PDB file of all heavy atoms in Angstrom:
ATOM      1  N   THR W  71       5.357  -3.513  -1.184  1.00 93.00           N
ATOM      2  CA  THR W  71       5.453  -4.819  -1.318  1.00 93.00           C
ATOM      3  C   THR W  71       6.965  -5.123  -1.528  1.00 93.00           C
ATOM      4  O   THR W  71       7.776  -4.411  -2.092  1.00 93.00           O
ATOM      5  CB  THR W  71       4.624  -5.383  -2.509  1.00 93.00           C
ATOM      6  OG1 THR W  71       4.986  -4.685  -3.710  1.00 93.00           O
ATOM      7  CG2 THR W  71       3.069  -5.121  -2.157  1.00 93.00           C
ATOM      8  N   ARG W  72       7.333  -6.316  -1.221  1.00 92.00           N
ATOM      9  CA  ARG W  72       8.814  -6.789  -1.395  1.00 92.00           C
ATOM     10  C   ARG W  72       8.897  -8.045  -2.110  1.00 92.00           C
ATOM     11  O   ARG W  72       8.136  -8.987  -1.835  1.00 92.00           O
ATOM     12  CB  ARG W  72       9.461  -6.899  -0.032  1.00 92.00           C
ATOM     13  CG  ARG W  72       9.586  -5.487   0.601  1.00 92.00           C
ATOM     14  CD  ARG W  72      10.431  -4.517   0.013  1.00 92.00           C
ATOM     15  NE  ARG W  72      10.733  -3.318   0.641  1.00 92.00           N
ATOM     16  CZ  ARG W  72      10.930  -2.299   0.131  1.00 92.00           C
ATOM     17  NH1 ARG W  72      11.008  -2.125  -1.292  1.00 92.00           N
ATOM     18  NH2 ARG W  72      11.108  -1.121   0.770  1.00 92.00           N
ATOM     19  N   THR W  73       9.889  -8.201  -3.091  1.00 91.00           N
ATOM     20  CA  THR W  73      10.047  -9.421  -3.840  1.00 91.00           C
ATOM     21  C   THR W  73      10.882 -10.489  -3.056  1.00 91.00           C
ATOM     22  O   THR W  73      11.948  -9.951  -2.475  1.00 91.00           O
ATOM     23  CB  THR W  73      10.756  -9.001  -5.161  1.00 91.00           C
ATOM     24  OG1 THR W  73       9.903  -8.203  -5.919  1.00 91.00           O
ATOM     25  CG2 THR W  73      10.775 -10.370  -5.992  1.00 91.00           C
ATOM     26  N   PHE W  74      10.426 -11.679  -2.906  1.00 93.00           N
ATOM     27  CA  PHE W  74      11.214 -12.645  -2.220  1.00 93.00           C
ATOM     28  C   PHE W  74      12.147 -13.280  -3.290  1.00 93.00           C
ATOM     29  O   PHE W  74      13.312 -13.522  -2.912  1.00 93.00           O
ATOM     30  CB  PHE W  74      10.173 -13.631  -1.750  1.00 93.00           C
ATOM     31  CG  PHE W  74      10.863 -14.863  -1.115  1.00 93.00           C
ATOM     32  CD1 PHE W  74      11.516 -14.846   0.158  1.00 93.00           C
ATOM     33  CD2 PHE W  74      10.792 -16.168  -1.675  1.00 93.00           C
ATOM     34  CE1 PHE W  74      12.114 -15.975   0.774  1.00 93.00           C
ATOM     35  CE2 PHE W  74      11.406 -17.183  -1.240  1.00 93.00           C
ATOM     36  CZ  PHE W  74      12.083 -17.087   0.030  1.00 93.00           C
ATOM     37  N   SER W  75      11.531 -13.776  -4.392  1.00 93.00           N
ATOM     38  CA  SER W  75      12.340 -14.346  -5.415  1.00 93.00           C
ATOM     39  C   SER W  75      11.549 -14.316  -6.708  1.00 93.00           C
ATOM     40  O   SER W  75      10.510 -14.749  -6.798  1.00 93.00           O
ATOM     41  CB  SER W  75      12.616 -15.774  -5.053  1.00 93.00           C
ATOM     42  OG  SER W  75      13.289 -16.423  -6.136  1.00 93.00           O
ATOM     43  N   ASN W  76      12.191 -13.771  -7.789  1.00 91.00           N
ATOM     44  CA  ASN W  76      11.658 -13.654  -9.159  1.00 91.00           C
ATOM     45  C   ASN W  76      10.202 -13.009  -9.007  1.00 91.00           C
ATOM     46  O   ASN W  76      10.197 -11.821  -8.565  1.00 91.00           O
ATOM     47  CB  ASN W  76      11.525 -15.027  -9.693  1.00 91.00           C
ATOM     48  CG  ASN W  76      11.188 -15.009 -11.166  1.00 91.00           C
ATOM     49  OD1 ASN W  76      11.292 -13.969 -11.717  1.00 91.00           O
ATOM     50  ND2 ASN W  76      10.810 -16.155 -11.780  1.00 91.00           N
ATOM     51  N   ASP W  77       9.074 -13.651  -9.264  1.00 87.00           N
ATOM     52  CA  ASP W  77       7.742 -13.088  -9.159  1.00 87.00           C
ATOM     53  C   ASP W  77       7.088 -13.484  -8.000  1.00 87.00           C
ATOM     54  O   ASP W  77       5.759 -13.362  -7.947  1.00 87.00           O
ATOM     55  CB  ASP W  77       6.967 -13.515 -10.443  1.00 87.00           C
ATOM     56  CG  ASP W  77       6.926 -14.981 -10.687  1.00 87.00           C
ATOM     57  OD1 ASP W  77       7.478 -15.707  -9.800  1.00 87.00           O
ATOM     58  OD2 ASP W  77       6.054 -15.479 -11.549  1.00 87.00           O
ATOM     59  N   VAL W  78       7.791 -13.926  -6.850  1.00 91.00           N
ATOM     60  CA  VAL W  78       7.135 -14.293  -5.675  1.00 91.00           C
ATOM     61  C   VAL W  78       7.461 -13.192  -4.629  1.00 91.00           C
ATOM     62  O   VAL W  78       8.582 -12.771  -4.445  1.00 91.00           O
ATOM     63  CB  VAL W  78       7.670 -15.590  -5.190  1.00 91.00           C
ATOM     64  CG1 VAL W  78       7.087 -15.984  -3.773  1.00 91.00           C
ATOM     65  CG2 VAL W  78       7.469 -16.679  -6.170  1.00 91.00           C
ATOM     66  N   GLU W  79       6.414 -12.694  -3.907  1.00 91.00           N
ATOM     67  CA  GLU W  79       6.569 -11.617  -2.945  1.00 91.00           C
ATOM     68  C   GLU W  79       6.613 -12.261  -1.544  1.00 91.00           C
ATOM     69  O   GLU W  79       6.030 -13.254  -1.234  1.00 91.00           O
ATOM     70  CB  GLU W  79       5.383 -10.666  -2.997  1.00 91.00           C
ATOM     71  CG  GLU W  79       5.442  -9.877  -4.358  1.00 91.00           C
ATOM     72  CD  GLU W  79       4.261  -8.860  -4.485  1.00 91.00           C
ATOM     73  OE1 GLU W  79       3.329  -8.985  -3.649  1.00 91.00           O
ATOM     74  OE2 GLU W  79       4.297  -8.088  -5.351  1.00 91.00           O
ATOM     75  N   TYR W  80       7.197 -11.552  -0.604  1.00 92.00           N
ATOM     76  CA  TYR W  80       7.157 -11.738   0.660  1.00 92.00           C
ATOM     77  C   TYR W  80       5.776 -11.544   1.184  1.00 92.00           C
ATOM     78  O   TYR W  80       4.903 -10.796   0.683  1.00 92.00           O
ATOM     79  CB  TYR W  80       8.062 -10.774   1.561  1.00 92.00           C
ATOM     80  CG  TYR W  80       9.482 -11.081   1.498  1.00 92.00           C
ATOM     81  CD1 TYR W  80      10.339 -10.384   0.742  1.00 92.00           C
ATOM     82  CD2 TYR W  80      10.035 -12.132   2.390  1.00 92.00           C
ATOM     83  CE1 TYR W  80      11.683 -10.720   0.750  1.00 92.00           C
ATOM     84  CE2 TYR W  80      11.410 -12.438   2.441  1.00 92.00           C
ATOM     85  CZ  TYR W  80      12.243 -11.710   1.570  1.00 92.00           C
ATOM     86  OH  TYR W  80      13.504 -11.978   1.599  1.00 92.00           O
ATOM     87  N   LEU W  81       5.374 -12.326   2.280  1.00 93.00           N
ATOM     88  CA  LEU W  81       4.012 -12.069   2.898  1.00 93.00           C
ATOM     89  C   LEU W  81       3.910 -10.638   3.338  1.00 93.00           C
ATOM     90  O   LEU W  81       4.845 -10.106   3.975  1.00 93.00           O
ATOM     91  CB  LEU W  81       3.916 -13.001   4.135  1.00 93.00           C
ATOM     92  CG  LEU W  81       2.594 -12.799   5.037  1.00 93.00           C
ATOM     93  CD1 LEU W  81       1.374 -13.316   4.127  1.00 93.00           C
ATOM     94  CD2 LEU W  81       2.654 -13.595   6.302  1.00 93.00           C
ATOM     95  N   TYR W  82       2.915  -9.942   2.933  1.00 94.00           N
ATOM     96  CA  TYR W  82       2.850  -8.537   3.123  1.00 94.00           C
ATOM     97  C   TYR W  82       2.679  -8.039   4.507  1.00 94.00           C
ATOM     98  O   TYR W  82       1.977  -8.735   5.337  1.00 94.00           O
ATOM     99  CB  TYR W  82       1.752  -7.956   2.255  1.00 94.00           C
ATOM    100  CG  TYR W  82       1.656  -6.356   2.421  1.00 94.00           C
ATOM    101  CD1 TYR W  82       2.567  -5.576   1.793  1.00 94.00           C
ATOM    102  CD2 TYR W  82       0.635  -5.713   3.133  1.00 94.00           C
ATOM    103  CE1 TYR W  82       2.579  -4.237   1.944  1.00 94.00           C
ATOM    104  CE2 TYR W  82       0.575  -4.367   3.252  1.00 94.00           C
ATOM    105  CZ  TYR W  82       1.609  -3.670   2.671  1.00 94.00           C
ATOM    106  OH  TYR W  82       1.528  -2.267   2.770  1.00 94.00           O
ATOM    107  N   TRP W 132      -5.847 -14.293  -7.199  1.00 93.00           N
ATOM    108  CA  TRP W 132      -4.335 -14.686  -7.006  1.00 93.00           C
ATOM    109  C   TRP W 132      -3.888 -14.391  -5.633  1.00 93.00           C
ATOM    110  O   TRP W 132      -3.064 -15.015  -4.829  1.00 93.00           O
ATOM    111  CB  TRP W 132      -3.454 -14.007  -8.067  1.00 93.00           C
ATOM    112  CG  TRP W 132      -3.545 -14.601  -9.333  1.00 93.00           C
ATOM    113  CD1 TRP W 132      -4.466 -14.256 -10.407  1.00 93.00           C
ATOM    114  CD2 TRP W 132      -2.728 -15.633  -9.951  1.00 93.00           C
ATOM    115  NE1 TRP W 132      -4.154 -14.915 -11.478  1.00 93.00           N
ATOM    116  CE2 TRP W 132      -3.184 -15.839 -11.239  1.00 93.00           C
ATOM    117  CE3 TRP W 132      -1.837 -16.528  -9.323  1.00 93.00           C
ATOM    118  CZ2 TRP W 132      -2.694 -16.791 -12.046  1.00 93.00           C
ATOM    119  CZ3 TRP W 132      -1.306 -17.435 -10.185  1.00 93.00           C
ATOM    120  CH2 TRP W 132      -1.646 -17.639 -11.533  1.00 93.00           C
ATOM    121  N   THR W 133      -4.272 -13.208  -5.166  1.00 91.00           N
ATOM    122  CA  THR W 133      -3.733 -12.663  -3.956  1.00 91.00           C
ATOM    123  C   THR W 133      -4.653 -12.501  -2.735  1.00 91.00           C
ATOM    124  O   THR W 133      -4.317 -12.018  -1.703  1.00 91.00           O
ATOM    125  CB  THR W 133      -3.008 -11.286  -4.144  1.00 91.00           C
ATOM    126  OG1 THR W 133      -4.002 -10.361  -4.701  1.00 91.00           O
ATOM    127  CG2 THR W 133      -1.936 -11.481  -5.174  1.00 91.00           C
TER     128      THR W 133
END
Side-chain angles (χ1 to χ4, degrees):
T71 56
R72 294 295 184 209
T73 300
F74 174 75
S75 176
N76 194 14
D77 58 354
V78 178
E79 293 181 346
Y80 282 100
L81 179 67
Y82 183 68
W132 288 91
T133 58

